[in-house]
Amino acid sequence: MTKSAFLLRKELRFLNSLSPRSIGPLCLVVAALSMLTREADAQEFWQLPINGWALSGDGQVVVGKGPLGPARWTRSGGMEYLGAPTVLGEALGANFDGSVVVGRFYNCQPPCNPSPFRWSATAGFEVIPAFAQAIGVSATGDITLGNGNGGWIYSPAAGVTHFPGNLSFEAISADGLTAVGMGGYYRINEGSLHNFQPLWPCSFNAPVAVSADGQVFVGIAVQTCIGRTHAVRWNLAGQPTDLGGGFTAIDLNHDGSVIVGEGGVWLDQQGPIPLAPWLKLQGVDVPPGAMLHGAIAVSDDGRTFLGESWLATVPCFRVITAPPTASRVCNQMSSLSMTIGVVGEGPFSYQWTRNGVPIEAAANPTALTPTLTISGQRSLMAGDYACIVANACSIATVGRNTVELACPTDVNCNGTNDINNIFEFLNSWFASSTAAGSW
């Protein structure tokens, strides 16, 4: 049985266990699981025949170095050499769909200086009349970023333009307007340099990547006085977010919510996670013994991850939930709310249950939302609550949340019967009597 068929049968058994009236809110689950059946059999993990250096924005093309020189690899066509005049060199960057590739090659035996090149599906291999190497290219392939004896940009229409003041950068945004490096970012169309704020005293910033829209930047901060290094994410205002040690940020998706580097993957709301276990959790069939210590690139949608010798694609981010905390219904309460936290790829469907039975949406519309609100008679609030959450590739049931009724004499609802309840009762009684004008 295929993995997708097994998952579908498992969830259909769950759906069949529900009452007929409860099936309606979960129609989205059935439709989503049918999509999974069609798509999950596609290959999700590849061992590459080249040393990968960069990934196209759509995640379909890997560029790097093959045994015979700079090369690109596609899922459909395999490896293709780029026509460099020598086997020495590598491709270092690609545009969104991989139709334009840039890098460096050597006309001599290293450690001599390399020459930059640009390859396109239409024009083939071209030597860029600049120094050293081309390291990045815009989404359309029109703007190439290079460095060596200072930084430069190249376009087929305008040729080479050098940055002022010997500035040199490491990456360029998809729109070709923002370069990152030199402890900050540079607005190419404005000619303005913006420095990032330091994470600590006596530290320096080393940003290496920029999001597609030029709004988010990642790299490392090094505190030289004590030798500490942490991964960092900066916003457009230059403010740093500490991503922690033991992880080096190398690349990011279109909005900076998925960051990769040595040590794993960093996700919004979850932080750094070891890569191999996380890929397996997301349904990727990682081969036994595969060494996935970290990734060097991620696609714009945050689903495809590149290592030096492998490529992995997550069909969609599975549901990961944080359960609500246990609750007590106190004497003075007329309603109670509980909320679950969800991480994954939306849209999500929700169905709250009480004592294992789905709560009717007609009676309580919040039963189909992340926050369940229950009100009315106190005795009807108590029970074991759970929430079933689904997206296009998975379904998860949040752990049980037990709601208990507080003892009638537990006036302050602290779980114990002591003299403090008498004081609380008297305070409430005097307050209500004063408000009613009978005291």
Side-chain angles (χ1 to χ4, degrees), residues 396-422:
T397 301
V398 181
R400 187 180 71 179
N401 176 31
T402 301
V403 175
E404 300 175 336
L405 291 178
C407 178
T409 58
D410 186 12
V411 180
N412 61 6
C413 202
N414 66 352
T416 60
N417 289 308
D418 53 28
I419 194 171
N420 291 319
N421 291 295
I422 299 175

Side-chain angles (χ1 to χ4, degrees), residues 1-13 15 29-44 282-285 315-316 318 391-395:
M1 183 186 301
T2 65
K3 179 173 56 180
S4 58
F6 174 79
L7 178 59
L8 181 60
R9 288 190 185 182
K10 178 181 177 182
E11 303 315 334
L12 286 179
R13 286 199 299 270
L15 293 173
V29 177
V30 179
L33 288 170
S34 67
M35 291 173 56
L36 177 64
T37 305
R38 294 193 300 269
E39 298 177 0
D41 290 331
Q43 186 173 354
E44 301 160 347
Q282 300 301 319
V284 177
D285 189 13
C316 81
R318 297 191 171 194
N391 70 353
C393 62
S394 64
I395 186 169

Side-chain angles (χ1 to χ4, degrees), residues 272-360:
I273 304 172
L275 189 59
W278 180 77
L279 288 173
K280 293 177 181 179
L281 179 65
Q282 300 301 319
V284 177
D285 189 13
V286 178
M291 304 297 289
L292 310 184
H293 299 301
I296 59 177
V298 61
S299 59
D300 285 355
D301 63 7
R303 291 185 182 181
T304 299
F305 302 83
L306 172 66
E308 289 186 4
S309 60
W310 57 266
L311 185 75
T313 293
V314 173
C316 81
F317 291 130
R318 297 191 171 194
V319 175
I320 301 175
T321 56
T325 57
S327 307
R328 309 185 81 242
V329 180
C330 302
N331 300 319
Q332 68 272 22
M333 294 175 64
S334 60
S335 66
L336 178 68
S337 294
M338 60 191 80
T339 301
I340 59 167
V342 177
V343 176
E345 184 176 343
F348 303 103
S349 67
Y350 303 87
Q351 175 64 67
W352 285 88
T353 65
R354 177 176 178 266
N355 297 330
V357 178
I359 299 172
E360 297 287 350

Side-chain angles (χ1 to χ4, degrees), residues 55-368:
L55 182 67
S56 62
D58 62 4
Q60 299 295 310
V61 181
V62 176
V63 302
K65 179 178 176 59
L68 300 179
R72 67 196 288 268
W73 175 91
T74 65
R75 302 184 187 189
S76 58
M79 185 165 63
E80 174 187 8
Y81 287 101
L82 304 181
T86 171
V87 300
L88 300 175
E90 47 272 318
L92 303 176
N95 71 332
F96 179 78
D97 63 2
S99 62
V100 176
V101 180
V102 300
R104 64 189 176 192
F105 72 99
Y106 294 84
N107 274 321
C108 54
Q109 190 69 28
C112 64
N113 294 322
S115 298
F117 74 82
R118 179 184 187 271
W119 175 94
S120 69
T122 55
F125 187 90
E126 301 174 279
V127 179
I128 298 175
F131 189 75
Q133 58 187 0
I135 56 176
V137 61
S138 62
T140 62
D142 294 332
I143 305 296
T144 298
L145 175 72
N147 61 29
N149 284 349
W152 47 265
I153 57 173
Y154 167 79
S155 71
V160 175
T161 302
H162 291 272
F163 290 121
N166 209 33
L167 297 176
S168 182
F169 300 99
E170 302 296 332
I172 190 169
S173 60
D175 58 13
L177 299 178
T178 305
V180 65
M182 302 287 295
Y185 66 92
Y186 183 79
R187 289 297 196 194
I188 296 173
N189 58 330
E190 301 172 358
S192 57
L193 180 65
H194 306 263
N195 292 320
F196 294 139
Q197 298 175 18
L199 185 61
W200 309 294
C202 68
S203 67
F204 69 88
N205 299 321
V208 295
V210 55
S211 61
D213 60 4
Q215 303 289 311
V216 185
F217 313 86
V218 298
I220 61 172
V222 180
Q223 192 171 23
T224 54
C225 50
I226 62 173
R228 178 168 56 166
T229 300
H230 278 200
V232 183
R233 181 175 65 177
W234 293 273
N235 60 19
L236 200 59
Q239 298 169 327
T241 298
D242 188 352
L243 306 184
F247 174 70
T248 58
I250 298 175
D251 198 18
L252 70 168
N253 70 331
H254 75 281
D255 63 359
S257 60
V258 180
I259 301 171
V260 299
E262 289 297 323
V265 57
W266 186 97
L267 304 174
D268 266 347
Q269 305 180 44
Q270 296 183 64
I273 304 172
L275 189 59
W278 180 77
L279 288 173
K280 293 177 181 179
L281 179 65
Q282 300 301 319
V284 177
D285 189 13
V286 178
M291 304 297 289
L292 310 184
H293 299 301
I296 59 177
V298 61
S299 59
D300 285 355
D301 63 7
R303 291 185 182 181
T304 299
F305 302 83
L306 172 66
E308 289 186 4
S309 60
W310 57 266
L311 185 75
T313 293
V314 173
C316 81
F317 291 130
R318 297 191 171 194
V319 175
I320 301 175
T321 56
T325 57
S327 307
R328 309 185 81 242
V329 180
C330 302
N331 300 319
Q332 68 272 22
M333 294 175 64
S334 60
S335 66
L336 178 68
S337 294
M338 60 191 80
T339 301
I340 59 167
V342 177
V343 176
E345 184 176 343
F348 303 103
S349 67
Y350 303 87
Q351 175 64 67
W352 285 88
T353 65
R354 177 176 178 266
N355 297 330
V357 178
I359 299 172
E360 297 287 350
N364 186 351
T366 66
L368 305 182

Side-chain angles (χ1 to χ4, degrees), residues 364-380:
N364 186 351
T366 66
L368 305 182
T369 70
T371 299
L372 175 69
T373 300
I374 48 179
S375 58
Q377 188 175 342
R378 290 177 61 249
S379 60
L380 299 179

